[in-house]
Amino acid sequence: MKLFYKPGACSLASHIVLHEIGKAFEIEAVDTSEGKTAGGADFLAINPKGYVPALQMDDGGVLTEGPAILQFLSDTAPQAGLAPEAGNLSRAKVLEHLTYVASELHKSFGPLFRSASTDEQKDAARDLVGKKFDHIESLLSDGRDFLVDGAFSIADAHLFTISNWANFTGIDLANWPNLAAYVNRIAARPGTQAAMRAEGLIQ
């Protein structure tokens, strides 16, 4: 498999999970503004949507959308225990968190990454992200280490990746101490360290 990624983008979650499941894979960076991969390929020919992540299979087929890729990867390696089996409430809880992060938290960061956003729009976005973080802080206030059943899951890889954007957008995670501790905890995992190192995010 080959993961097409952009350093630190939402594709980092898929990259982390690839390390967690221990299967062989390749990575290739994408310049989404130019629509080119690091190897010079036309990324739009690989993923017409034009954004990462995209996971290319050995047979050339391509899967897109982070939550779908995360579920696919976890299901191909059930021994890694990154998602409960389908048909029980714990699996639904993992999907609940994936959906919240993708549709609410991720979306709220949008204006902070657009050069055309005004200062007012960016301030409004930070306020909105803060409200989403308030919800996550409340979830983590019961002392849990991970989102579901006390075990690291694909939902944790996703939440870590998006929450970590606070460090690049002028949002101080210290305002949400449980979330800050959670981000540090996930950042310390070997799979997270390996993915971030490969993307040039840490030494």
Side-chain angles (χ1 to χ4, degrees):
M1 294 182 287
K2 179 186 283 189
L3 177 69
F4 293 92
Y5 76 99
K6 187 174 182 178
C10 56
S11 49
L12 176 61
S14 298
H15 196 174
I16 291 169
V17 168
L18 280 163
H19 279 285
E20 291 277 352
I21 66 176
K23 290 191 175 184
F25 68 94
E26 300 174 359
I27 58 172
E28 186 167 353
V30 177
D31 183 335
T32 51
S33 61
E34 296 292 330
K36 295 288 185 182
T37 71
D42 178 6
F43 185 57
L44 290 177
I46 298 165
N47 178 15
K49 297 171 183 174
Y51 53 76
V52 295
L55 185 68
Q56 190 170 56
M57 310 302 171
D58 294 339
D59 64 1
V62 175
L63 181 64
T64 64
E65 302 301 332
I69 292 172
L70 294 172
Q71 291 172 71
F72 170 77
L73 292 174
S74 66
D75 288 344
T76 63
Q79 73 282 356
L82 298 182
E85 61 184 46
N88 62 48
L89 183 59
S90 293
R91 174 69 172 224
K93 284 290 184 183
V94 167
L95 299 183
E96 177 185 17
H97 294 307
L98 279 177
T99 302
Y100 181 79
V101 172
S103 64
E104 296 295 327
L105 184 58
H106 186 166
K107 178 178 63 178
S108 299
F109 271 99
L112 299 174
F113 292 111
R114 288 195 286 270
S115 58
S117 296
T118 65
D119 289 343
E120 291 77 12
Q121 289 171 327
K122 289 182 178 181
D123 287 343
R126 291 187 184 95
D127 287 343
L128 185 56
V129 168
K131 290 181 172 64
K132 308 305 179 185
F133 279 172
D134 288 344
H135 168 68
I136 297 164
E137 179 73 7
S138 178
L139 281 178
L140 298 174
S141 66
D142 62 4
R144 69 181 77 182
D145 286 337
F146 305 106
L147 288 172
V148 179
D149 292 347
F152 178 83
S153 73
I154 54 176
D156 294 299
H158 198 28
L159 176 58
F160 162 78
T161 295
I162 308 305
S163 297
N164 194 50
W165 290 350
N167 293 312
F168 311 103
T169 54
I171 300 173
D172 189 354
L173 279 178
N175 293 314
W176 300 272
N178 292 309
L179 177 57
Y182 170 90
V183 167
N184 288 336
R185 188 160 53 248
I186 305 303
R189 292 179 65 84
T192 306
Q193 291 274 301
M196 294 181 74
R197 190 171 295 110
E199 296 191 12
L201 302 172
I202 60 173
Q203 297 295 319

